[in-house]
Amino acid sequence: MAFAIKTEIRNPRAKVFTFTAQKTMYGGKHIAADDVVFVFASENEGGSGLIARAIVASADATPRKIGVIRQTPRVSITVRRTASAARLLGRDQLKRFKDWGDGRPETELNFKFYRQATNKIAGISDETAAFLDRFF
């Protein structure tokens, strides 16, 4: 399974990124070392969308807080860039894909990242990973 992360990126040209206690959804809590992850710089924090393909160097689950009943699983990861995006892909390019049942990779990304605009790590389908590979 491949993954994608949308979060604040302070240095979009970095070769290594460390993301601490990131919210996970859609299977994102299963991310592990050696998984492929597509990195999106969150437009909510001034980013431009897809910036990199990377390999997970380490992934560690964040311990749950004692006494809090409903908690979204969080994971801290370190990833190494393997490629930089050659074409733009972000909220503006994906917002027209709103037919949630059409099975398109663009719709999956719009649904997982922009329907609820919080930053997160999400599992993505093989079809969506192949689609994203075309941007490098």
Side-chain angles (χ1 to χ4, degrees), residues 17 22 34 53 69 78 89 97 124-125 130-131:
F17 299 99
Q22 296 294 301
D34 298 324
R53 181 178 53 227
I69 295 169
T78 299
L89 181 66
F97 296 96
I124 58 172
S125 67
F131 167 77

XYZ file of all heavy atoms in Angstrom, residues 17 22 34 53 69 78 89 97 124-125 130-131:
103
model
N 12.517 14.755 5.243
C 11.458 15.441 5.985
C 11.150 14.627 7.237
O 11.097 13.396 7.185
C 10.160 15.525 5.167
C 10.280 16.278 3.881
C 10.453 15.600 2.682
C 10.197 17.665 3.849
C 10.542 16.278 1.479
C 10.286 18.352 2.652
C 10.460 17.662 1.463
N 1.626 13.199 13.311
C 0.683 13.536 12.243
C -0.605 12.737 12.391
O -0.583 11.530 12.665
C 1.304 13.245 10.878
C 2.516 14.093 10.565
C 2.159 15.554 10.409
O 1.351 15.921 9.569
N 2.777 16.389 11.227
N 10.051 1.832 4.614
C 10.163 1.366 3.230
C 8.900 1.561 2.397
O 8.896 1.217 1.214
C 10.628 -0.097 3.148
C 12.013 -0.293 3.758
O 12.857 0.623 3.602
O 12.239 -1.323 4.399
N 7.981 12.613 -4.077
C 7.757 11.198 -3.781
C 8.907 10.820 -2.854
O 10.051 11.252 -3.049
C 7.794 10.349 -5.049
C 7.535 8.870 -4.774
C 7.519 8.005 -6.026
N 8.744 8.213 -6.786
C 8.786 8.416 -8.100
N 7.696 8.478 -8.815
N 9.945 8.578 -8.696
N -11.020 9.510 25.410
C -11.717 8.364 24.820
C -11.569 8.328 23.308
O -11.173 7.331 22.737
C -13.199 8.368 25.226
C -13.308 8.163 26.735
C -13.977 7.286 24.489
C -14.677 8.392 27.308
N 9.791 9.838 9.340
C 10.891 10.488 8.640
C 10.930 9.872 7.254
O 10.846 8.643 7.120
C 12.232 10.267 9.365
O 12.137 10.840 10.670
C 13.387 10.918 8.615
N 0.050 19.679 -8.817
C -1.166 18.970 -8.450
C -1.519 19.366 -7.025
O -0.780 19.084 -6.079
C -0.989 17.452 -8.537
C -2.241 16.636 -8.178
C -3.342 16.876 -9.219
C -1.911 15.169 -8.065
N -13.233 17.372 -9.015
C -13.498 15.927 -8.943
C -14.285 15.626 -7.667
O -13.716 15.308 -6.628
C -12.181 15.143 -8.999
C -11.459 15.330 -10.293
C -10.456 16.281 -10.420
C -11.807 14.575 -11.403
C -9.790 16.475 -11.629
C -11.152 14.756 -12.618
C -10.152 15.712 -12.728
N -3.494 5.285 0.197
C -4.067 5.512 -1.134
C -4.032 4.208 -1.919
O -3.213 3.323 -1.653
C -3.345 6.639 -1.910
C -1.855 6.336 -2.080
C -3.576 7.997 -1.238
C -1.121 7.303 -3.000
N -4.927 4.096 -2.884
C -5.005 2.887 -3.706
C -3.805 2.784 -4.646
O -3.114 3.775 -4.920
C -6.296 2.908 -4.525
O -6.245 3.951 -5.482
N -0.193 5.018 -8.877
C 0.272 5.012 -10.284
C -0.032 6.347 -10.944
O 0.783 6.873 -11.709
C -0.387 3.873 -11.053
N -1.195 6.923 -10.667
C -1.553 8.241 -11.175
C -0.539 9.290 -10.694
O -0.024 10.095 -11.479
C -2.970 8.611 -10.733
C -3.342 10.035 -10.927
C -3.675 10.515 -12.195
C -3.366 10.917 -9.865
C -4.026 11.849 -12.385
C -3.722 12.257 -10.040
C -4.035 12.721 -11.303
